[in-house]
């Protein structure tokens, strides 16, 4: 999938032969059961250390004490309404995060479940905005092997036996199971959206086992990629001299994580589907009025594979069948009674009771023979309900209907159709699955059950969280970095997000909001200002859940909107998109004019953290916002030319020609651009992200903002100081560095290393011809986050970390900017031909020179009359 790939630019870090014997690799060299040459790997007995969370210094605490008091009060107020505040640094999860994550399950927009590298199912995000990190240990795969006429038996859970519930004498629950796997000879191999677990001679020395985990994340396939399902394909290779009877067991608790299984009224129900697919439905009644969820666990019966089920078992002595009884029966018989398929729905569970189900697939594997067994998991939660009332249907219901029983069809199609051909990607893309997504378009009357999911041009609406600790949808200052992933893989979704923000730019919400940093009040949404986010508890309808600062006064949001729109317009050449969002682009640019207070064409910052670095104060002209503004002026001018709005193009040109020399005069010091034009102790700091505007300019095929000498010198300075002076380049790029070589510790964020910013800097280096420095810079994120010697951030990449390894905000959106690097590597193919003359020099010429023949009046009329149709038909409000 990834051409010019990031993998091929560096040596293979984990050769598979170092984890699996060559003989075993050769045995699995068919039907994709062997792991790929390029993958992230771990042994199952690897230590999963507890991650260290961030903390603030004493001086930082003093400076933020008023904010802390107001934030605490706001959190308590939201809790009194049964809502979680979007930012809550005071509440810590009972389950401490650890270095145990693996590739998550499912597609986009349907909730997600993560699966750790040891095989545990964790990080439950089925309900929007709620993440239950603890693993549900009842959810396991196990194996039962019988040889020599049943005289030689092996039974084991296929996960290392390390959890606190094990070893209790007389326990009727999962402690009674055979937790016999050491994990020393078992390895995990991940290449999103797939993962392979190889059991190289354990628990049975004469049986090699490969488990291939597959999820439907398929670029440009908007239907299948919305499905809440996953497949687990087991390949069994018998190296012994006699045939073996092998039974694989899939157990599942009726739970959506946390303590949800104790709430009661949960029902399990067996089913027999088409084409040999059969299993158990687990109907889960959620708490607090949230929509119900139905799980399906299933296996596919064939001529060689027999499927049996146990619809219900419990964990305590009061259960009709206990987990201990279930395990003992499997050890004895290797299967369940076929009559279980006819038992019907179970009695609803009582409060405090855990009810589980099991599916067994049994087969004979001949001596030196091979066999394949496939299981599937699906979760059907058709309705998304946000706390302030709006409800929507998830995207997959357009193809499978709104019944919870759609889970039966989902597992059927997963096991019998094309899910097994899902392509491999790169690992730092998991945020689009792991965070709660809402791709919602259909209403009940529009559903055509099980239609072809690839034939619909309507891709619906899409939401993704800033992170599991910052509960805000589509946070725009961060989407600026993450959006390269969507543009590369799901461009129609990316355009729809921009349409949502274009609509928001032209809207106004006069409701009063208290801003917690300053303690003042203001409007929730000001017309012309790009919102910080699409909301939390009523997205699309109640914007700007973020209330630390008044983001209508931020200086980066509007330029970022203009830059993203132009980049997407240039990459897709979608003229209807360009015409539709143009009124919002103009409004966003015109709104920013108020911040040019000395008429030099440049916007000035206002002495508070008025940009994405929202604890890092800026005075006067800043390298970050000023560079974004220059880039936005150029992008707006280029787009105006394309659309025939010549007068606005002239306005942007005039401002650019005035602003650029002013910017260079105020900030360029001979080797880089100063942090800002103020006189504070950090005004001369080297900011890693100082060329963010140049990054977008180059990514969009526009001429450089500055001469090559300045760009290369600034990047070299960042590389020499922000990258290489931090543990020899093994950490990524620190946000701020004094020219003395000392880390800028003026605030929490200046001393942090942000993974997404580091990738963005690396992408800018690639675009400037500094590939060696680019990959050395990005390698620091890999070493610190993903290597065996690192901090353990794999598949949960945080916003950032400190030099001593304290993270902040796991599963963050910004690291998706790694796709900016891929975009840079493939730029000649991704960006259409654009005039290589200086855009500003060509603006005075007739619009007829360019692609569009619209005159100014015409484009305004088109924009005014068609923007609602072109932009918003595909994202019509579907609340019920």
């Amino acid at each position: 999938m990834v051409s010019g790939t990031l993998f091929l630019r560096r040596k293979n870090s984990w050769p598979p032969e170092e984890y699996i014997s060559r003989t075993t690799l050769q045995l699995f060299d068919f039907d994709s059961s062997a792991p790929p040459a390029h993958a992230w790997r771990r042994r199952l007995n690897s230590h999963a250390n507890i991650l260290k969370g961030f903390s603030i210094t004493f001086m930082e605490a003093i400076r933020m004490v008023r904010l802390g008091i107001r934030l605490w009060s706001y959190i308590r107020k939201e809790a009194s309404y049964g809502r979680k505040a979007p930012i809550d640094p005071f509440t810590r999860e009972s389950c401490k995060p650890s270095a145990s994550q693996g590739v998550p399950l499912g597609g986009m927009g349907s909730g997600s479940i993560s699966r750790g590298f040891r095989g545990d199912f964790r990080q439950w995000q089925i309900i929007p905005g709620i993440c239950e990190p603890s693993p549900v240990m009842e959810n396991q795969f196990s194996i039962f092997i019988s040889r020599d006429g049943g005289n030689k038996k092996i039974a084991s859970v296929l996960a290392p036996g390390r959890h606190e519930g094990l070893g209790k004498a007389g326990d009727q629950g999962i402690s009674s199971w055979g937790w016999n796997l050491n994990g020393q000879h078992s390895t995990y191999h991940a290449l999103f959206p797939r993962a392979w677990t190889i059991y190289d001679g354990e628990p049975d020395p004469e049986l090699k086992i490969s488990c291939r985990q597959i999820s439907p994340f398929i670029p440009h396939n908007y239907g299948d990629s919305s499905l809440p399902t996953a497949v687990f394909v087991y390949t069994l290779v018998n190296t012994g001299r006699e045939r073996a009877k092998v039974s694989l067991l899939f157990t599942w608790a009726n739970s959506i994580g946390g303590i949800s299984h104790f709430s009661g009224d949960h029902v399990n129900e067996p089913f027999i589907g088409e084409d040999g697919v059969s299993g158990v439905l687990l109907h889960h009644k959620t708490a607090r009025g949230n929509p119900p969820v139905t799980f399906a666990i299933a296996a596919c019966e064939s001529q060689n594979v027999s499927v049996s089920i146990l619809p219900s078992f419990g964990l305590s002595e009061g259960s009709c069948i206990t987990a201990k009884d279930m395990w003992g029966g499997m050890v004895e018989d290797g299967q369940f009674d076929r009559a279980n398929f006819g038992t019907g729905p179970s009695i609803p569970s009582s409060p405090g009771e855990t009810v589980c189900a099991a599916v067994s697939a049994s087969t004979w594997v001949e001596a030196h023979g091979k066999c394949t067994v496939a299981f599937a998991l699906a979760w059907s939660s058709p309705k998304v309900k946000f706390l302030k009332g709006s409800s929507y249907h998830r995207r997959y219901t357009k193809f499978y209907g709104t019944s919870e029983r759609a889970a039966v069809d989902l597992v059927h199609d997963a096991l019998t159709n094309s899910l097994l051909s899902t392509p491999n990607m790169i690992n730092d893309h998991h945020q689009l699955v792991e965070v709660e997504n809402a791709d919602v378009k259909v209403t009940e009357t529009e559903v055509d059950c099980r239609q072809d999911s690839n034939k619909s041009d309507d891709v619906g609406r899409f939401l993704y969280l800033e992170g599991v600790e910052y509960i805000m949808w589509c946070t725009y200052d961060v989407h600026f970095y993450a959006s390269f992933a969507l543009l590369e893989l799901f461009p129609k979704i990316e355009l729809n997000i921009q349409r949502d923000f274009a609509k928001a730019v032209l809207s106004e919400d006069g409701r009063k909001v208290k801003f917690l940093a300053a303690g003042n009040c203001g409007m929730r949404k000001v017309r012309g200002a790009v919102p910080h986010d699409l909301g939390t508890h009523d997205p699309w309808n109640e914007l700007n859940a973020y209330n630390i600062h008044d983001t209508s006064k931020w200086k980066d949001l509007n330029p970022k909107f203009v830059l993203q729109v132009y980049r997407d317009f240039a990459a897709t050449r979608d003229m209807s998109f360009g015409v539709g969002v143009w009124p919002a682009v103009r409004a966003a640019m015109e709104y920013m004019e108020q911040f040019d207070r000395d008429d030099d064409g440049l916007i000035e910052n206002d002495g508070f953290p008025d940009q994405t670095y929202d604890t890092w104060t800026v005075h006067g002209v800043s390298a970050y916002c000023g560079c974004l503004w220059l880039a936005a002026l150029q992008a707006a001018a280029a787009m105006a030319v394309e659309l025939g709005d010549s007068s606005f193009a002239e306005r942007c040109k005039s401002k650019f020609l005035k602003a650029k020399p002013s910017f260079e005069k105020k900030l360029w010091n001979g080797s880089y651009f100063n942090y800002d034009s103020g006189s504070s102790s950090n005004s001369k700091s080297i900011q890693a992200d100082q060329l963010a505007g140049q990054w977008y300019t180059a990514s969009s095929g526009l001429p450089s903002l500055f001469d090559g000498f300045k760009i290369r010198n600034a990047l070299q300075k960042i590389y020499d100081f922000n990258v290489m002076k931090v543990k020899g380049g093994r950490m990524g790029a620190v946000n701020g560095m004094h020219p003395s070589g000392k880390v800028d510790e003026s605030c929490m964020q200046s001393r942090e290393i942000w993974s997404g910013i580091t990738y963005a800097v690396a992408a800018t280096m690639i675009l400037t011809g500094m590939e060696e420095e680019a990959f050395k810079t990005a390698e620091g994120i890999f070493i610190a986050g993903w290597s065996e010697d690192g901090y353990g951030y794999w598949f949960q990449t945080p916003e950032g970390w400190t030099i001593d390894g304290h993270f902040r905000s796991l599963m963050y959106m910004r690291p998706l900017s790694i796709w900016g690097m891929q975009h840079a590597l493939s730029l000649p193919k991704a960006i259409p031909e654009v005039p290589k003359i200086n855009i500003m020099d060509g603006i005075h010429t007739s619009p007829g020179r360019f692609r569009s023949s619209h005159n100014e009046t015409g484009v305004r009329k088109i924009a005014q009359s068609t923007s609602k149709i072109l932009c918003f038909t595909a994202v019509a409000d579907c609340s019920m």
Side-chain angles (χ1 to χ4, degrees):
M1 169 60 206
V2 182
S3 61
T5 118
L6 302 180
F7 283 127
L8 301 182
R9 301 289 173 140
R10 306 298 291 181
K11 66 181 182 180
N12 185 4
S13 300
W14 294 290
E17 295 83 1
E18 293 184 5
Y19 290 78
I20 310 170
S21 67
R22 289 184 179 271
T23 302
T24 300
L25 283 172
Q26 291 171 355
L27 289 173
F28 287 130
D29 190 20
F30 74 101
D31 196 28
S32 302
S33 56
H38 301 285
W40 179 88
R41 312 184 200 277
R42 282 294 179 276
R43 299 190 187 280
L44 264 60
N45 67 343
S46 299
H47 175 63
N49 57 287
I50 300 298
L51 307 185
K52 297 184 292 185
F54 86 101
S55 59
I56 59 177
T57 67
F58 177 76
M59 290 305 299
E60 288 167 352
I62 293 297
R63 287 194 293 268
M64 293 192 290
V65 66
R66 290 188 178 89
L67 168 61
I69 292 170
R70 295 185 191 110
L71 181 57
W72 172 253
S73 178
Y74 171 69
I75 291 168
R76 293 184 62 185
K77 180 180 178 181
E78 286 294 286
S80 71
Y81 295 117
R83 300 191 295 259
K84 182 176 175 63
I87 300 175
D88 180 1
F90 303 109
T91 303
R92 300 294 182 185
E93 297 288 349
S94 57
C95 175
K96 294 183 178 180
S98 63
S100 55
Q101 295 291 347
V103 174
L105 307 175
M108 301 191 302
S110 53
S112 71
I113 306 165
S114 187
R115 193 171 185 228
F117 74 85
R118 292 173 176 167
D120 50 338
F121 294 85
R122 54 174 56 234
Q123 214 72 36
W124 300 73
Q125 298 181 79
I126 306 296
I127 306 299
I130 297 176
C131 177
E132 295 287 357
S134 301
V136 176
M137 295 303 297
E138 292 80 11
N139 300 349
Q140 298 289 346
F141 285 100
S142 304
I143 194 166
F144 303 82
I145 306 162
S146 176
R147 297 177 187 269
D148 190 24
N151 294 322
K152 184 180 179 182
K153 292 185 177 183
I154 295 174
S156 179
V157 178
L158 289 175
R162 301 178 183 176
H163 81 99
E164 60 186 12
L166 297 183
K168 296 178 180 177
D171 182 52
Q172 298 295 310
I174 63 173
S175 297
S176 62
W177 296 356
W179 298 86
N180 303 316
L181 195 79
N182 176 273
Q184 180 180 357
H185 301 292
S186 300
T187 52
Y188 180 83
H189 312 258
L191 184 54
F192 182 90
R194 298 188 181 200
W196 293 255
T197 306
I198 307 297
Y199 305 88
D200 195 358
E202 64 172 335
D204 184 342
E206 295 182 335
L207 187 69
K208 310 292 187 181
I209 308 166
S210 166
C211 173
R212 182 163 43 115
Q213 171 190 312
I214 311 163
S215 290
F217 190 94
I218 308 169
H220 305 284
N221 183 327
Y222 297 87
D224 289 350
S225 295
S226 72
L227 304 183
T229 187
V231 172
F232 307 89
V233 181
Y234 280 85
T235 301
L236 311 171
V237 180
N238 184 1
T239 60
R241 296 181 179 180
E242 57 182 347
R243 71 173 188 161
K245 182 181 180 182
V246 180
S247 297
L248 287 161
L249 179 71
F250 188 15
T251 53
W252 198 260
N254 198 323
S255 169
I256 57 171
I259 59 172
S260 60
H261 47 291
F262 290 144
S263 59
D265 284 336
H266 309 313
V267 174
N268 292 356
E269 177 186 4
F271 72 89
I272 299 177
E274 301 172 351
D275 302 315
V277 175
S278 55
V280 182
L281 292 173
L282 297 90
H283 304 286
H284 186 85
K285 183 179 180 180
T286 59
R288 299 180 181 177
N290 285 308
V293 181
T294 294
F295 293 97
I297 56 172
C300 192
E301 192 163 83
S302 66
Q303 183 177 356
N304 301 318
V305 178
S306 175
V307 176
S308 60
I309 62 164
L310 183 63
S312 182
F313 67 89
L315 305 180
S316 60
E317 291 185 2
S319 305
C320 182
I321 300 176
T322 66
K324 184 176 183 179
D325 297 333
M326 182 278 297
W327 189 267
M330 283 296 298
V331 170
E332 185 67 26
D333 303 322
Q335 61 189 18
F336 300 115
D337 191 336
R338 295 284 298 183
N340 289 342
F341 281 111
T343 57
S346 66
I347 299 172
S349 64
S350 302
E353 177 187 12
T354 301
V355 58
C356 308
V359 174
S360 169
S362 303
T363 186
W364 285 94
V365 187
E366 299 298 326
H368 306 291
K370 302 176 181 179
C371 186
T372 298
V373 177
F375 293 89
L377 166 70
W379 53 98
S380 179
S381 181
K383 186 183 292 187
V384 176
K385 182 181 179 182
F386 294 99
L387 284 179
K388 289 192 175 180
S390 296
S391 296
Y392 305 83
H393 282 130
R394 282 192 160 106
R395 176 66 181 168
Y396 79 89
T397 62
K398 188 172 184 67
F399 319 111
Y400 284 85
T402 57
S403 168
E404 288 85 3
R405 296 187 66 85
V408 173
D409 296 329
L410 284 163
V411 290
H412 171 273
D413 290 356
L415 287 169
T416 60
N417 290 346
S418 60
L419 183 58
L420 300 185
S421 62
T422 300
N424 298 326
M425 304 291 289
I426 62 177
N427 280 327
D428 220 338
H429 201 93
H430 51 91
Q431 288 92 340
L432 284 178
V433 174
E434 281 198 305
V435 295
E436 173 62 43
N437 306 317
D439 187 68
V440 288
K441 174 66 179 73
V442 295
T443 62
E444 302 242 9
T445 57
E446 293 178 300
V447 172
D448 179 11
C449 298
R450 299 184 74 178
Q451 62 177 279
D452 188 341
S453 59
N454 297 317
K455 291 183 179 179
S456 175
D457 290 330
D458 169 20
V459 300
R461 306 178 84 172
F462 182 84
L463 297 171
Y464 68 133
L465 284 175
E466 180 177 337
V468 294
E469 295 171 42
Y470 297 151
I471 314 297
M472 292 164 284
W473 300 110
C474 295
T475 301
Y476 200 73
D477 57 306
V478 187
H479 182 69
F480 174 77
Y481 299 88
S483 58
F484 279 93
L486 287 173
L487 178 63
E488 193 86 8
L489 304 173
F490 299 98
K492 291 181 181 179
I493 288 178
E494 166 62 11
L495 293 188
N496 273 5
I497 291 176
Q498 302 301 349
R499 290 181 173 113
D500 279 337
F501 276 91
K503 181 179 179 181
V505 167
L506 301 176
S507 71
E508 187 168 284
D509 187 341
R511 287 176 289 181
K512 295 297 181 183
V513 174
K514 184 174 182 179
F515 301 114
L516 303 179
N520 62 315
C521 292
M523 292 174 58
R524 174 172 288 278
K525 171 64 178 68
V526 177
R527 179 181 173 84
V530 174
H532 173 274
D533 55 80
L534 292 179
T536 291
H537 299 307
D538 195 7
W540 296 298
N541 300 316
E542 187 177 85
L543 307 175
N544 283 332
Y546 178 91
N547 61 348
I548 303 298
H549 299 290
D550 181 355
T551 59
S552 70
K553 297 178 181 177
W554 276 20
K555 310 308 183 295
D556 63 336
L557 287 168
N558 284 39
K560 285 175 174 177
F561 171 70
V562 175
L563 288 170
Q564 287 181 76
V565 164
Y566 182 76
R567 179 206 56 190
D568 297 349
F569 176 60
T572 65
R573 306 312 296 169
D574 188 328
M575 188 60 71
S576 67
F577 166 75
V579 171
V581 300
W582 181 244
V585 171
R586 284 194 56 146
M589 292 298 291
E590 290 165 350
Y591 180 86
M592 294 302 292
E593 293 176 1
Q594 64 182 299
F595 302 119
D596 177 9
R597 298 187 175 89
D598 56 3
D599 196 32
D600 65 348
L602 277 176
I603 58 172
E604 282 86 39
N605 293 85
D606 284 325
F608 75 100
D610 50 356
Q611 24 76 44
T612 193
Y613 301 90
D614 58 354
T615 68
W616 201 355
T617 298
V618 196
H619 300 275
V621 175
S622 70
Y624 181 66
C625 295
C627 188
L628 289 172
W629 175 242
L630 289 177
L633 285 169
Q634 182 169 254
M639 192 167 181
V641 169
E642 291 274 341
L643 296 177
D645 194 344
S646 56
S647 67
F648 192 73
E650 283 286 354
R651 285 175 59 187
C652 292
K653 171 186 176 179
S654 176
K655 287 182 180 296
F656 179 87
L657 294 178
K658 184 188 296 185
K660 179 182 173 181
S662 178
F663 179 85
E664 292 181 333
K665 180 180 179 181
K666 292 180 178 180
L667 297 178
W668 181 251
N669 63 21
S671 59
Y672 65 94
F673 294 100
N674 290 335
Y675 175 69
D676 64 28
S677 62
S679 57
S680 65
S681 61
N682 68 321
S683 289
K684 294 189 184 328
S685 285
I686 308 162
Q687 184 177 11
D689 209 8
Q690 62 185 266
L691 291 176
Q694 171 60 27
W695 172 37
Y696 256 73
T697 292
S699 296
S700 303
L702 292 170
S704 295
L705 294 176
F706 315 107
D707 62 63
F709 171 82
K710 288 185 175 69
I711 295 170
R712 290 188 67 91
N713 268 31
L715 289 173
Q716 190 66 49
K717 192 73 172 184
I718 292 166
Y719 178 75
D720 291 340
F721 280 69
N722 300 60
V723 177
M724 297 307 295
K725 287 187 181 296
V726 181
K727 295 195 176 180
R730 298 176 61 84
M731 295 285 288
V734 69
N735 283 336
M737 177 73 79
H738 289 294
S740 64
K742 183 177 183 296
V743 171
D744 183 344
E745 297 186 347
S746 57
C747 73
M748 174 181 73
Q749 293 173 340
S750 63
R751 60 184 172 89
E752 288 181 325
I753 295 151
W754 286 7
S755 50
I757 299 304
T758 300
Y759 290 143
V761 170
T764 312
M765 290 174 173
I766 291 171
L767 292 163
T768 312
M770 301 170 64
E771 284 199 11
E772 186 64 31
E773 293 88 344
F775 282 96
K776 178 64 177 178
T777 296
E779 187 179 47
I781 302 301
F782 158 77
I783 293 171
W786 292 77
S787 73
E788 292 191 61
D789 298 326
Y791 298 122
Y793 300 143
W794 44 82
F795 301 103
Q796 52 186 336
T797 312
E799 161 74 305
W801 49 81
T802 57
I803 293 175
D804 56 354
H806 289 257
F807 77 88
R808 184 167 59 82
S809 188
L810 292 172
M811 298 184 186
Y812 200 70
M813 180 194 294
R814 204 182 317 253
L816 287 170
S817 62
I818 192 172
W819 283 88
M821 295 179 66
Q822 176 64 28
H823 186 85
L825 290 169
S826 58
L827 188 61
K829 290 175 282 188
I831 297 294
E833 182 180 353
V834 295
K836 292 306 177 185
I837 62 168
N838 190 301
I839 291 293
M840 295 305 174
D841 292 341
I843 282 174
H844 67 275
T845 60
S846 167
R849 281 190 57 183
F850 298 87
R851 299 175 185 269
S852 175
S853 61
H854 297 305
N855 58 32
E856 178 188 352
T857 304
V859 76
R860 286 181 179 173
K861 287 183 177 179
I862 291 171
Q864 291 170 1
S865 62
T866 65
S867 61
K868 291 184 179 178
I869 297 173
L870 294 175
C871 294
F872 309 131
T873 297
V875 293
D877 190 356
C878 306
S879 56
M880 296 178 289

